Amino acid sequence: MGKILIVDDDAAFVGALKDKIQALYPLLDVITCTEPLLALTILRQGKVDLLLVDLEMPTLDGSKIFSYALSVGIDKNRIVILSGRDSDYLHEQFPMGTCLAVLNKYEAKQKAVLDMIFSSMQRKAAAN
């Protein structure tokens, strides 16, 4: 367990997050996708343990990728929705229980939630 797919059209954000994960959680495998349509192929091809998806992207928004991920068998509790929007808006779009978490990707407290998720995945990967 430890394959993470990050789907976000912001290449700088994706690169920084991937670098952080690889530095702090070396047992986790990170795949990045800045082109939302390519994410569909990746989701269809293989097992993803955690999907991080930006809500607002050109061509294909995060809610459509979320729906597709569910349709190909990704557990809703393995999906995190990221956005620059405030938490009230995010929880309106994805009420509690819809997915693992909805997070503002720029707030420090929200990033701490991601760290908890990655840390848990790292422990599970080390145990296997």
Side-chain angles (χ1 to χ4, degrees):
M1 172 175 202
K3 188 174 187 179
I4 300 170
L5 173 60
I6 304 169
V7 184
D8 194 316
D9 61 316
D10 182 342
F13 174 79
V14 168
L17 184 56
K18 180 179 181 175
D19 289 347
K20 177 184 177 176
I21 294 168
Q22 290 178 325
L24 298 175
Y25 309 100
L27 298 179
L28 304 183
D29 180 26
V30 182
I31 301 166
T32 62
C33 186
T34 56
E35 173 51 51
L37 287 173
L38 293 177
L40 303 180
T41 302
I42 295 168
L43 287 168
R44 189 174 49 245
Q45 286 177 344
K47 188 174 184 319
V48 172
D49 298 308
L50 180 67
L51 171 62
L52 304 177
V53 62
D54 185 24
L55 182 58
E56 297 170 325
M57 296 180 288
T59 315
L60 191 64
D61 69 25
S63 61
K64 289 181 180 151
I65 293 173
F66 173 80
S67 295
Y68 182 79
L70 294 176
S71 77
V72 296
I74 305 289
D75 185 323
K76 69 178 183 166
N77 293 316
R78 300 218 178 260
I79 302 173
V80 175
I81 305 296
L82 302 172
S83 177
R85 298 275 194 141
D86 65 52
S87 62
D88 289 339
Y89 176 83
L90 293 172
H91 288 287
E92 204 173 277
Q93 301 300 310
F94 294 89
M96 182 127 13
T98 304
C99 58
L100 178 60
V102 289
L103 303 172
N104 179 299
K105 59 186 178 180
Y106 302 114
E107 290 183 19
K109 289 181 182 179
Q110 302 286 298
K111 290 179 182 179
V113 173
L114 282 178
D115 283 333
M116 287 189 302
I117 294 167
F118 299 148
S119 180
S120 174
M121 291 179 73
Q122 174 83 6
R123 282 191 308 274
K124 287 179 183 175
N128 290 333

